[in-house]
Amino acid sequence: MARIAVMGAGMGAMAAAARLAVAGHRVVVYERTATYGGALRRVERDGFAFDTGPGLLPLPAVYRDLFLKTGKEPLEACVKLVQVDPSSRHVFADGTDVSLPNASRAGVVTALTEALGAGAGDRWGDFLVRAREAWDRTRRPLLEEPLWPNWPVLAEREPYPAVPHKRLLRTRRAATLAEVGAWELGDPRLTALLESHALAYGLDPRVAPASAAVLPYVEHAFGTWYVRGGIRELARAVYERCLARKVEFVFGAEVTGVVEKDGRAAGVELRDGTVVEADTVVGSGPWRLSGLSRTELYVGDDVVPKPETLVAGKVVVCLALRGAREAGAAHRTVVHTTDREAELDLFGPGTPPERPTVWVERPDDPRLRPDEAHESVVLTSTVPSQTHHDWTADGAADAFADRMAAAAERAVPGLRERVLWREVRTPVHTEEETGAQGGGIPAPSLSGAAGTLLHPANSTRLPGLFAVGGWAHPGGGLPHAGMSGALVAGLIVEGPEFRGSR
């Protein structure tokens, strides 16, 4: 039985801890804050409750597998999963309004044709076919296997089979997501639909590789799910599974360094000076602690994400509303910006958009409101991180929240008149809760783009030190966190020859 120290109680770290405990190891998790869950936090006040992290769960199979492999009770015995329908509603810049059914390509094609006109649905359907090919080509190396030793193949390969496009007397294939939209979809509303999936992960569609087409494909192919009581309930369930498997948690314990002995990780040092011995160390972003550079944590050289690609964070506005949620309201509505170019300045000058794209979450869940005469709503927008914009400046957060609420009113008429109170959370809160520099949000690993959207390998060049969570392979996103936990556990239990579950 090995002693394993885990840095942080985020979803990836807890997923790894549960699996390692089942394998017979003694696992202790050191979390610098007072609770678990990483970005899956909750605000509670006056009978209202709000998820401040992800609102929906894609690819629930990842967590079904975690619960299957770590105990007798399946995931559905610990939380209630509800497949939302429609999957999402979209309000475009010109006022066009369309609701997309969950996990139904034919239904989505029909809905887009009816709302956007003849041919629109078919173009989106054809795009999904190409996106599926990209998904099939990259699923295993980017999600289910440790980062390949020959990772440059992923950096150079563009798996999306773009339609040839004649431009300036030359035939080209789309290299970026923006080019896919402009060249293949033929409608600015379809382009907005496509690009919103990248924007949700903090990716600039003008530089995100065409392989980012897998992001909308996953939602359309596998559906989106809500956890009754809020996504925070998923974090609770994973935490309780860890406890059931005898994982120990020490809260308020910040790891400040990795102890090295005889050329390998031998424990961790806490802020209070305590040194904890361990045979193996697992953590999110351990290169910040070990003295190793990010490059050294890759399998290879020069795979470091360029700093300018790590600029985005989130502003979340929790709204306590008077008045009942109307029957048939969509769980999620995306209100698209009316000024795309200005919005994308958040990736360059670091300017919060005047007219942002806003994700409006309206869960029909009695556990999140005091009674049927009230409603809890969460607004989310992608913004520059604290590193690139000062969200602590007087009035900065409230002014942007006002703009978000004004945009959301295009989907929820009279929204601002119903507000009892609100709480605004910026990248500053994200940094405090997760430790991510500037409150940035990690994007999923993607092929192409010269490797700038690959993440550090789970195994490092310091034996006994492993990286887990959104800033390690396979990158950001709730399913990806669970996958990173599975990969780290596999590498520790089975050794460096582990190649993922089949």
Side-chain angles (χ1 to χ4, degrees), residues 207-271:
V207 297
S211 64
V214 299
L215 302 178
Y217 171 76
V218 167
E219 178 176 311
H220 287 296
F222 304 108
T224 50
W225 302 75
Y226 176 65
V227 179
R228 185 65 66 189
I231 291 290
R232 175 69 178 174
E233 286 296 292
L234 179 64
R236 175 198 57 76
V238 175
Y239 171 68
E240 291 181 353
R241 177 54 55 92
C242 286
L243 293 178
R245 302 282 78 81
K246 308 303 182 184
V247 175
E248 299 176 45
F249 286 80
V250 183
F251 294 104
E254 182 177 1
V255 177
T256 56
V258 174
V259 177
E260 298 181 33
K261 183 177 180 181
D262 298 329
R264 64 173 288 117
V268 296
E269 182 175 351
L270 306 182
R271 182 160 296 282

Side-chain angles (χ1 to χ4, degrees), residues 286-287 290 292 296-298 456-467:
W287 55 89
S290 67
L292 298 176
E296 288 175 312
L297 284 166
Y298 277 87
N458 306 110
S459 55
T460 76
R461 292 190 178 180
L462 179 64
L465 176 64
F466 296 84

